[in-house]
Amino acid sequence: MLDLVPEFTAIRQHLHQYPELSHKEFQTAEFIASCLNSWGIEVHTDIVGTGVVGVLRNGDGTKSIALRADMDALAISEKNAFSYCSKNEGVMHACGHDGHMAMLLMAARYLAQTRQFSGTVYFVFQPSEEQDGGASEMVQAGLFEKFPSDMILGCHNWPELPVGTVGVADKAIMASCNAFEIEVTGRGSHGAMPNLSVDPIFVAIQIANALQGIITRMKKPQDAAVLSICQVKAGQSYNVIPDSAYMGGTVRTFDEGVTDLIESQMKSIASQVAMAFGAQAKVSFDRQVSPVINTPDCAQLVRTAAIETLGVKALVEQEPVMPSEDFGEYLKKVPGAFFFVGSGASGTCGLHNPQFDFNDEALPIGASVFAQVVENYLLK
Ligand code: NI
């Protein structure tokens, strides 16, 4: 595997130069398809626009495994100065999906060359992870009907873990992502005569405070959840009470039942607090992405592969994190596991930062874990 590092570092840096936004990964898809083709891997490019699936069969084994990478970049202007920084102004691989694609391509190249397995491997390149739920579109488009897989594995580079490590968990590893909006409607007035108003800002503040009571008082303490209000918009002038106020935010959980509780309590608290002050509150709650819940047997395959390829010290028992990933949509259909590939080093930037760059030292790590799981599970 290590002899492939220079070639795949160049591939990763090429992908970094030509980032494309969600559902617009046209050049990226073409590049991936041509790589897979040139290594003798069967290629399907007809899935949700820019999705690409490579199929590699070997021997007469009937087992199958899908390996997934995400393809899209973010609407961020890159602030790096190195030679391979983004050539598409305002678009940047700031989440390392360039690295995820390169790791999966590297595993594909290695497995196509060495063929130390018996069965079928599907290399799934998924568009639009950052927006619009590419994973659920792939599932709805019949991914697992066309490419029946016993299990699916995916990974994300993780700057919080040092490069050389792999983090995995038996159950939840990443949270669900839900967006909410609360529109409070009152009645405006002169700022000096609040008694003539139904002050929507005052009401919104009461609602914002009361909502944290769901997290601390209403759900079970053992159930992790976050509720953050990240947008507050109201008013245009220092001396005018406006008619309405807007708040937007996010809810993260590891359990859809906990999300149900938060959504229903949020609606009830917002409308009743507003009513108490003579205002009205309208809540919309959008479930964007499910939590990523691993299958313990599949997580164990990742652990074994990580220990075999990197040594026992490389393995991290990962605690679940509150950011989200649409990989959970696959895990609602088939067993599988999502793992973190440590990419941190001194001076590493966080994900979604304009100075982020995927750590190329992580390339052979993710690729070897993928390949080793294939060789172990599809044992010849
Ligand atoms: Ni990402």
Side-chain angles (χ1 to χ4, degrees):
M1 185 72 84
L2 287 178
D3 56 323
L4 298 175
V5 167
E7 180 185 349
F8 285 83
T9 302
I11 284 179
R12 202 286 293 179
Q13 295 179 358
H14 168 84
L15 290 166
H16 191 88
Q17 280 185 292
Y18 301 101
E20 294 173 295
L21 292 174
S22 305
H23 278 316
K24 295 188 177 145
E25 308 91 339
F26 300 109
Q27 281 190 342
T28 307
E30 227 177 272
F31 179 80
I32 287 167
S34 78
C35 287
L36 296 172
N37 253 321
S38 71
W39 306 328
I41 295 173
E42 179 187 317
V43 178
H44 297 253
T45 53
D46 51 354
I47 302 184
V48 298
T50 46
V52 179
V53 177
V55 182
L56 183 63
R57 290 190 184 86
N58 200 54
D60 53 9
T62 53
K63 294 204 277 189
S64 56
I65 182 165
L67 309 173
R68 171 272 206 174
D70 40 13
M71 303 162 73
D72 53 338
L74 289 154
I76 292 178
S77 288
E78 180 156 8
K79 291 213 174 113
N80 288 313
F82 44 65
S83 60
Y84 57 89
C85 75
S86 172
K87 290 200 163 30
N88 296 342
E89 180 47 39
V91 186
M92 177 188 176
H93 270 301
C95 198
H97 298 186
D98 48 347
H100 304 163
M101 290 184 278
M103 287 194 285
L104 188 53
L105 287 170
M106 192 171 176
R109 172 72 189 272
Y110 169 87
L111 291 165
Q113 253 176 8
T114 53
R115 295 185 174 260
Q116 293 299 311
F117 67 93
S118 178
T120 307
V121 190
Y122 299 111
F123 303 100
V124 178
F125 292 87
Q126 175 211 309
S128 197
E129 191 281 323
E130 299 286 359
Q131 277 188 353
D132 308 326
S136 88
E137 289 175 4
M138 296 282 276
V139 169
Q140 279 163 27
L143 177 72
F144 294 123
E145 285 75 33
K146 283 182 199 150
F147 309 104
S149 311
D150 301 344
M151 73 173 83
I152 185 163
L153 300 183
C155 68
H156 206 290
N157 78 97
W158 208 246
E160 279 77 41
L161 291 179
V163 69
T165 61
V166 169
V168 69
D170 269 336
K171 291 183 179 161
I173 185 159
M174 298 188 85
S176 65
C177 177
N178 313 278
F180 65 86
E181 296 183 309
I182 302 175
E183 185 83 43
V184 179
T185 308
R187 189 174 62 245
S189 78
H190 195 298
M193 293 182 278
N195 54 304
L196 300 181
S197 78
V198 173
D199 183 352
I201 295 178
F202 172 79
V203 173
I205 291 166
Q206 311 310 312
I207 292 173
N209 282 330
L211 291 183
Q212 292 305 331
I214 305 172
I215 304 301
T216 63
R217 306 290 85 183
M218 294 173 131
K219 70 158 185 62
K220 266 169 61 189
Q222 293 86 341
D223 294 329
V226 167
L227 185 164
S228 290
I229 292 171
C230 304
Q231 291 173 293
V232 177
K233 294 178 196 164
Q236 305 223 320
S237 171
Y238 82 98
N239 59 0
V240 179
I241 293 172
D243 283 327
S244 64
Y246 168 91
M247 296 189 288
T250 187
V251 167
R252 308 295 172 109
T253 75
F254 297 111
D255 183 313
E256 300 288 14
V258 178
T259 310
D260 292 343
L261 172 95
I262 294 173
E263 178 181 354
S264 76
Q265 293 297 347
M266 176 182 286
K267 287 178 172 163
S268 146
I269 286 172
S271 72
Q272 293 184 57
V273 169
M275 200 196 304
F277 293 103
Q280 285 181 322
K282 205 175 116 209
V283 177
S284 66
F285 195 94
D286 180 20
R287 294 179 188 226
Q288 297 182 321
V289 167
S290 304
V292 181
I293 313 284
N294 285 345
T295 313
D297 287 351
C298 303
Q300 194 52 40
L301 280 168
V302 172
R303 268 190 206 100
T304 306
I307 291 171
E308 285 175 9
T309 51
L310 306 161
V312 72
K313 283 194 182 144
L315 186 65
V316 176
E317 283 305 319
Q318 181 63 46
E319 65 174 18
V321 299
M322 284 298 174
S324 61
E325 230 294 339
D326 67 2
F327 192 80
E329 303 305 321
Y330 300 117
L331 298 180
K332 292 202 291 196
K333 293 285 172 188
V334 297
F338 195 73
F339 58 98
F340 292 156
V341 176
S343 57
S346 75
T348 306
C349 264
L351 301 171
H352 294 207
N353 184 299
Q355 287 187 304
F356 178 81
D357 187 33
F358 180 84
N359 185 340
D360 286 317
E361 283 178 50
L363 282 175
I365 305 211
S368 9
V369 171
F370 275 146
Q372 191 66 43
V373 171
V374 169
E375 290 179 356
N376 291 351
Y377 180 68
L378 305 179
L379 195 62
K380 216 173 174 178

